[in-house]
Amino acid sequence: MNLPFVINLPTCLLNSVKMKILKFGGTSVGSAERMKNLVGLIAGDAPRIVVLSAMSGTTNNLLEIANALYQKDNDKASSLIGALEKKYNTVLTELYSTAASLEKGKELVKNHFEFLRSFTLDMFTANEEKAILAQGELLSTAMVHFYLEEINIDSVFLPALNFMRIDENEEPDMVFIEENLKAELKNYPGKKLFITQGYICRNAFGEIDNLKRGGSDYTATLIGAALSCEEIQIWTDIDGMHNNDPRIVDKTFPVTEMSFDEAAELAYFGAKILHPTCVLPAQKRKVPVRLLNTMQPLAKGTVITDKAPTDRITAVAAKDDIIAINIKSGRMLLAYGFLRSVFEVFERYKTPIDMITTSEVAVSLTIDNAKNLDAIVKELQEFCTVSAEKDKSIICIVGSFTAEKQGYAFRIFDALKNIPIKMISYGGSEHNVSVLVDTKDKKAALMSLNKGLFNL
Ligand code: ASP
Ligand code: MG
């Protein structure tokens, strides 16, 4: 047997066979008790990388601190920093039972908060803000790491800032991530449990940056894709992706299997459980994503793969705060290039369009970012008649509708027959039918769909 060869194999190659990624969000590390609970969930034989968010509320608190610093309100910043530090010190006393661990924890918290305080003296820009926002994940991961150490569970603290990176377009730099993550893991042959930070990364200039709010899911799928892992687990407080919004309708059920395409549509159009951008890396490398519940670890949850059932309606979701823009122009009649001039206005204001429908002389579309609405309407008015309506919701019906299968549209619109519909978009993808309604009709629409499509 050629043993030396086997031993010389990079650990990452060995790991890539069976490695799992487990991501826990803010509430799963939201208290000392929840941190202790993690131990039962991260145990296992296969090598695993655990990705953690900041304790729930911390990123918002850090944002408030940054805002105070922007406004040069040092007193407010100092008192916010003080209050947060107090909270962390309390968690430490609940988390650790040995004096040695507590001491280590206190040193950690002291260092991070000294770092936060250093900004009250200095110039403050977007770069400093990003450094501040990174502290939450750095704290939570180190605290959990020390706890594991205290109870004699061997784990490696893996600094995400050494391998997570975005490029000049703020897109993940997959080549860099893969190369550097594998190099990092290679330093720990034989180790099985790694703890790393979600959300934080470096940018193309090497400065501290982040993957935008809720970005820890993205970290997990980027790592999972980079290592072509066996599975990416996203642990939250709900037992998977449901067929309808459980906050709005009474009876819903978790969908046990769904495709990457379906999950991406649902994540984007309202299901809060998963960050919309995070599906793509897993889909590209065909790594299954499993959504699990920390409160019910044995529940099946939802598994997202490329082998999910087809020919079915899978789930519905709703997205609020949508603005409908109706554009009319005689010039559209038999003309070409009209849509381009409309789209160019949205492009100039970096405002994505969600839904769109056209007739011969009019086009209606929706946006969810009102920041530049007035400017957009003004520019459009230079060449067409424009009206904008707020307080709309997109109801999105997701499934796998193959063209040969008939009757999906009938079932959907039959279910919605008593709901006033403002716009319909069908056929853009095989996975999504979207309708626009007034937000006041959203609840009734979701309830009617629950009855008409799922018999609930
Ligand atoms: N802590 C970050 C946030 O609150 C990232 C995350 O939790 O996913 O947005
Ligand atoms: Mg989240």
Side-chain angles (χ1 to χ4, degrees):
M1 192 166 91
N2 194 350
L3 201 57
F5 172 74
V6 174
I7 286 171
N8 284 335
L9 254 185
T11 333
C12 51
L13 280 186
L14 294 174
N15 287 341
S16 71
V17 184
K18 279 199 289 135
M19 189 78 125
K20 283 187 183 179
I21 311 300
L22 285 74
K23 180 258 164 178
F24 295 90
T27 42
S28 307
V29 290
S31 66
E33 199 192 328
R34 297 296 298 266
M35 287 184 180
K36 289 182 192 178
N37 270 344
L38 282 188
V39 175
L41 303 172
I42 63 179
D45 288 334
R48 51 201 58 219
I49 299 179
V50 174
V51 177
L52 301 180
S53 291
M55 293 182 76
S56 55
T58 293
T59 310
N60 285 341
N61 291 151
L62 293 171
L63 207 55
E64 283 174 56
I65 292 168
N67 283 338
L69 291 169
Y70 267 126
Q71 287 156 14
K72 304 252 170 286
D73 192 343
N74 278 3
D75 289 345
K76 185 171 175 195
S78 301
S79 83
L80 289 168
I81 293 170
L84 191 61
E85 183 172 19
K86 206 168 152 208
K87 175 182 148 183
Y88 273 85
N89 278 318
T90 310
V91 174
L92 295 179
T93 55
E94 293 161 358
L95 182 59
Y96 303 117
S97 38
T98 68
S101 302
L102 188 59
E103 213 35 59
K104 269 180 103 164
K106 280 192 170 156
E107 188 63 24
L108 172 88
V109 167
K110 192 174 131 244
N111 288 338
H112 284 275
F113 281 85
E114 250 167 34
F115 179 73
L116 288 178
R117 281 201 180 86
S118 71
F119 292 107
T120 54
L121 311 168
D122 246 331
M123 202 175 84
F124 199 76
T125 70
N127 280 347
E128 280 76 35
E129 173 174 5
K130 285 169 177 168
I132 286 187
L133 290 178
Q135 301 310 306
E137 272 72 10
L138 290 168
L139 277 162
S140 65
T141 46
M143 284 158 70
V144 168
H145 176 63
F146 291 160
Y147 177 67
L148 292 171
E149 202 172 62
E150 183 185 85
I151 59 169
N152 288 320
I153 294 182
D154 191 24
S155 73
V156 176
F157 185 79
L158 204 60
L161 296 179
N162 290 357
F163 59 86
M164 284 307 285
R165 193 173 167 123
I166 48 175
D167 61 21
E168 305 81 32
N169 302 317
E170 304 199 341
E171 292 296 327
D173 184 340
M174 269 324 269
V175 176
F176 183 96
I177 295 170
E178 187 167 339
E179 228 175 80
N180 287 275
L181 173 57
K182 286 181 174 177
E184 193 79 17
L185 292 175
K186 226 173 146 181
N187 295 329
Y188 305 100
K191 296 287 183 185
K192 285 200 161 164
L193 180 58
F194 299 86
I195 311 288
T196 194
Q197 301 81 32
Y199 176 61
I200 66 174
C201 63
R202 288 190 189 275
N203 59 25
F205 312 102
E207 298 152 344
I208 295 182
D209 213 313
N210 60 62
L211 300 174
K212 312 253 158 63
R213 295 304 306 271
S216 295
D217 293 348
Y218 204 14
T219 302
T221 58
L222 289 167
I223 292 179
L227 300 176
S228 291
C229 285
E230 180 189 315
E231 178 171 291
I232 299 156
Q233 299 178 353
I234 309 280
W235 289 82
T236 65
D237 277 351
I238 177 165
D239 52 351
M241 194 94 95
H242 279 225
N243 72 306
N244 202 331
D245 192 331
R247 294 164 303 182
I248 296 171
V249 299
D250 286 340
K251 290 188 210 139
T252 64
F253 59 86
V255 178
T256 49
E257 284 172 83
M258 78 171 62
S259 69
F260 287 115
D261 290 320
E262 291 173 329
E265 300 271 11
L266 283 168
Y268 182 68
F269 283 106
K272 286 281 178 297
I273 177 167
L274 203 61
H275 193 262
T277 51
C278 87
V279 178
L280 201 59
Q283 181 167 25
K284 274 194 183 148
R285 294 272 174 108
K286 295 193 165 67
V287 182
V289 177
R290 199 178 286 277
L291 307 176
L292 292 159
N293 184 357
T294 43
M295 305 306 250
Q296 275 173 271
L298 297 177
K300 264 180 123 174
T302 299
V303 63
I304 305 165
T305 65
D306 60 348
K307 295 185 213 71
T310 50
D311 283 332
R312 61 162 187 180
I313 293 174
T314 308
V316 300
K319 188 174 176 191
D320 293 338
D321 298 321
I322 302 292
I323 302 148
I325 302 178
N326 304 303
I327 301 161
K328 267 194 208 136
S329 168
R331 274 171 47 191
M332 194 174 159
L333 195 66
L334 301 175
Y336 51 84
F338 177 77
L339 283 178
R340 193 186 66 193
S341 30
V342 169
F343 288 152
E344 269 170 359
V345 175
F346 290 87
E347 193 178 333
R348 256 198 306 285
Y349 288 99
K350 293 192 161 52
T351 301
I353 296 170
D354 281 334
M355 271 176 86
I356 174 156
T357 61
T358 66
S359 77
E360 194 51 47
V361 292
V363 44
S364 296
L365 44 84
T366 69
I367 59 173
D368 68 354
N369 179 351
K371 196 170 145 218
N372 295 309
L373 180 62
D374 293 343
I376 290 171
V377 168
K378 205 160 158 241
E379 280 202 29
L380 288 170
Q381 273 167 343
E382 284 169 20
F383 60 99
C384 31
T385 315
V386 187
S387 66
E389 289 175 62
K390 293 186 175 171
D391 298 323
K392 305 280 175 256
S393 294
I394 292 179
I395 308 282
C396 152
I397 299 102
V398 166
S400 175
F401 322 120
T402 43
E404 307 85 67
K405 265 273 183 184
Q406 290 155 3
Y408 288 117
F410 173 76
R411 283 175 60 201
I412 292 165
F413 293 108
D414 190 42
L416 291 172
K417 62 177 176 280
N418 295 319
I419 310 290
I421 294 175
K422 305 282 168 179
M423 257 173 90
I424 296 171
S425 169
Y426 182 20
S429 98
E430 283 186 351
H431 303 285
N432 178 338
V433 176
S434 294
V435 297
L436 189 74
V437 301
D438 285 330
T439 299
K440 67 176 169 46
D441 294 327
K442 174 183 78 170
K443 184 170 182 186
L446 290 178
M447 283 167 61
S448 306
L449 288 166
N450 220 30
K451 192 157 193 295
L453 302 180
F454 304 105
N455 271 322
L456 291 172

